[in-house]
Amino acid sequence: MLRLFRTTRMWHPRDLRDRYDVVIVGGGVHGLACAYYLAERGVRDVAVLEKQYLGAGASGRNTAIIRSNYRTPEGVAFYDESVRLYEELSARLGYNVLFSQQGHLTLAHTDSAIMGLRVRAEVNQLCGVRSRLVWPDEIRKLVPALDVSDRPRYPVLAALYHPPGGIVRHDAVVWGYAREADRLGAHLHPHTEVTGIDVAGGQVTGVRTTRGNVRTGVVLNATAGFCSTIAKMVDLRLPITTHPLQAFVTEPLKAFLDKVIVSANLHVYVSQTDRGECVIGSEIDPYLSYSHRSTLPFLEATAHHTLELFPCLKDVRVLRQWAGICDMTPDYSPIMGEVPGLRGFYLDVGWGTYGFKAGPVSGRRMAELIATGQTPDLIKPFSITRFWEDRLIGEKAAAAVSH
Ligand code: PYC
């Protein structure tokens, strides 16, 4: 007998109101998490505006790596809170986000790379984050499939081992936050593009969209890839350049890899999902572009470097490849906070290649700022004022791959 199951919607279509207390631009993990944490604080008259479907941008295109083994005390503390939030996220949202803390290894193939990892290990440990240097004998035990011999052109010399790091199911994170934000009263509006932002007397007063105009005193720019375009609507020029970042996935394989492997020297990172597919990515493309096109040179170079690490993958087929776009700041740290001189305009942008792992903490802390008017200590260092106050937070050394 055919049984019909009743499905419930994760979130609901709503009419776009002509006024909200808070408008969040960008329906990815950052915007949705902020809507959720605002609603938790009782700020529920909130609209999330997304020009495509929820999670269509960087939230659905990243390689879902979670870690806090950064280079600066400010970065380590910030991303560590995100790891902790990810640890409790399935229980909090009542939705399994498949967070697998399988451990994360950043490989060094040169003496100078070892020096860089040593500094990160020291900073991590001083900040209470588990990371340590490991050497080829231990690496071999941790990752039996990795070629730790002298065969490769650049043999593996050492690694930064970060046990709390891992991977998550990125769509589930987006859907879980969206469902809970919707349940608590936020309005999620996919297919609603912001075309302008109104300001009067140094105060945000509304947004214009493809579905009508909305009055509001608070706008959060939580976009990735298009943050400069949104900022231009209030005549704000951000110190950001936008680059494509590509990745590909293999056919499913029997489980052989239960660590995230990153090689900055070889410009490649590899993990294996619960479905058995290997998710593989590289550095940002070296040109400015808003293009989502995949390229053959990326696939050839990245496959070549992957085989240096994992020769066992040589006959494996590639299922698909894709690209996202990343907003890069000069110091590889994000820009968060209210813009001085522009009341009601908040930034949660410039995430480069680190955005997805920061979704929970940025959502929580931006919600705290918007709800209370007080900037949380954790995000104070990331204010836009650092660019003219000479307080950069250099996180390039912690990039998964060099750029
Ligand atoms: O920072 O771990 C990372 C990362 C991996 C891919 C892009 N960013």
Side-chain angles (χ1 to χ4, degrees):
M1 190 180 99
L2 180 67
R3 295 187 72 169
L4 292 178
F5 291 94
R6 210 160 175 205
T7 52
T8 49
R9 294 193 72 103
M10 295 278 284
W11 54 87
H12 299 86
R14 313 274 185 193
D15 290 336
L16 184 69
R17 288 207 211 119
D18 63 4
R19 194 201 158 279
Y20 287 95
D21 286 347
V22 179
V23 168
I24 297 173
V25 187
V29 64
H30 285 246
L32 294 165
C34 185
Y36 164 75
Y37 291 109
L38 277 170
E40 243 205 344
R41 288 177 165 273
V43 182
R44 296 185 174 180
D45 190 22
V46 174
V48 179
L49 310 182
E50 164 57 50
K51 70 176 177 171
Q52 293 178 272
Y53 56 89
L54 299 184
S59 289
R61 293 165 185 277
N62 62 84
T63 44
I65 296 172
I66 309 300
R67 63 187 176 92
S68 57
N69 56 357
Y70 279 77
R71 165 68 181 74
T72 66
E74 296 88 343
V76 175
F78 178 76
Y79 290 98
D80 183 45
E81 181 165 300
S82 219
V83 170
R84 288 168 201 270
L85 290 170
Y86 268 119
E87 284 170 349
E88 56 149 40
L89 201 57
S90 296
R92 170 180 284 276
L93 300 178
Y95 197 74
N96 190 353
V97 299
L98 297 175
F99 183 30
S100 161
Q101 287 184 286
Q102 49 189 231
H104 179 288
L105 283 117
T106 309
L107 307 178
H109 306 251
T110 64
D111 288 343
S112 65
I114 296 177
M115 297 264 290
L117 297 186
R118 201 183 283 284
V119 173
R120 279 169 67 190
E122 297 281 334
V123 175
N124 289 186
Q125 287 165 22
L126 286 169
C127 296
V129 164
R130 282 191 297 146
S131 286
R132 62 185 170 88
L133 277 194
V134 289
W135 307 97
D137 282 349
E138 188 171 353
I139 299 172
R140 226 173 254 119
K141 287 193 196 124
L142 288 167
V143 196
L146 184 68
D147 187 347
V148 191
S149 72
D150 288 340
R151 181 203 62 92
R153 178 154 171 225
Y154 293 105
V156 174
L157 302 181
L160 181 68
Y161 178 37
H162 175 52
I167 48 176
V168 72
R169 177 74 206 277
H170 56 193
D171 294 325
V173 177
V174 168
W175 299 334
Y177 273 125
R179 186 177 75 163
E180 286 306 282
D182 174 273
R183 191 180 62 77
L184 294 173
H187 283 193
L188 313 184
H189 294 292
H191 306 293
T192 308
E193 184 168 355
V194 172
T195 54
I197 300 176
D198 297 321
V199 177
Q203 163 72 55
V204 164
T205 57
V207 296
R208 278 169 267 147
T209 86
T210 46
R211 287 176 55 210
N213 297 344
V214 178
R215 284 175 291 123
T216 185
V218 177
V219 172
L220 171 64
N221 180 356
T223 56
F226 298 94
C227 72
S228 312
T229 318
I230 299 294
K232 264 198 204 131
M233 294 177 184
V234 292
D235 284 334
L236 177 65
R237 210 168 140 227
L238 296 174
I240 278 177
T241 54
T242 299
H243 295 251
L245 179 67
Q246 303 191 47
F248 69 93
V249 68
T250 68
E251 62 184 323
L253 306 168
K254 196 169 157 186
F256 77 102
L257 178 63
D258 63 358
K259 300 276 176 291
V260 180
I261 302 299
V262 170
S263 169
N265 290 138
L266 294 186
H267 311 288
V268 69
Y269 36 90
V270 184
S271 66
Q272 189 176 23
T273 67
D274 298 331
R275 279 202 297 241
E277 298 163 353
C278 288
V279 179
I280 301 176
S282 185
E283 62 195 324
I284 51 171
D285 287 339
Y287 43 83
L288 306 187
S289 172
Y290 288 96
S291 167
H292 279 102
R293 282 187 58 198
S294 300
T295 66
L296 186 59
F298 154 78
L299 186 59
E300 283 178 334
T302 311
H304 174 83
H305 291 146
T306 304
L307 292 178
E308 285 285 281
L309 300 176
F310 294 105
C312 57
L313 294 179
K314 79 176 163 41
D315 291 323
V316 166
R317 283 170 294 192
V318 171
L319 270 193
R320 61 184 177 279
Q321 99 184 84
W322 69 93
I325 45 180
C326 299
D327 292 326
M328 310 303 299
T329 56
D331 60 358
Y332 282 56
S333 284
I335 306 175
M336 303 178 79
E338 196 174 18
V339 176
L342 191 49
R343 281 189 315 282
F345 191 71
Y346 293 83
L347 295 171
D348 171 14
V349 299
W351 289 98
T353 59
Y354 301 152
F356 196 78
K357 53 189 108 294
V361 64
S362 66
R364 178 176 188 220
R365 296 305 185 165
M366 288 306 298
E368 182 180 342
L369 166 59
I370 291 169
T372 66
Q374 304 294 318
T375 305
D377 287 346
L378 203 60
I379 66 172
K380 269 191 190 146
F382 303 110
S383 140
I384 192 168
T385 59
R386 76 176 185 274
F387 294 104
W388 57 85
E389 289 169 352
D390 205 11
R391 287 187 296 102
L392 300 192
I393 305 168
E395 282 295 359
K396 190 167 183 176
V401 291
S402 50
H403 301 291

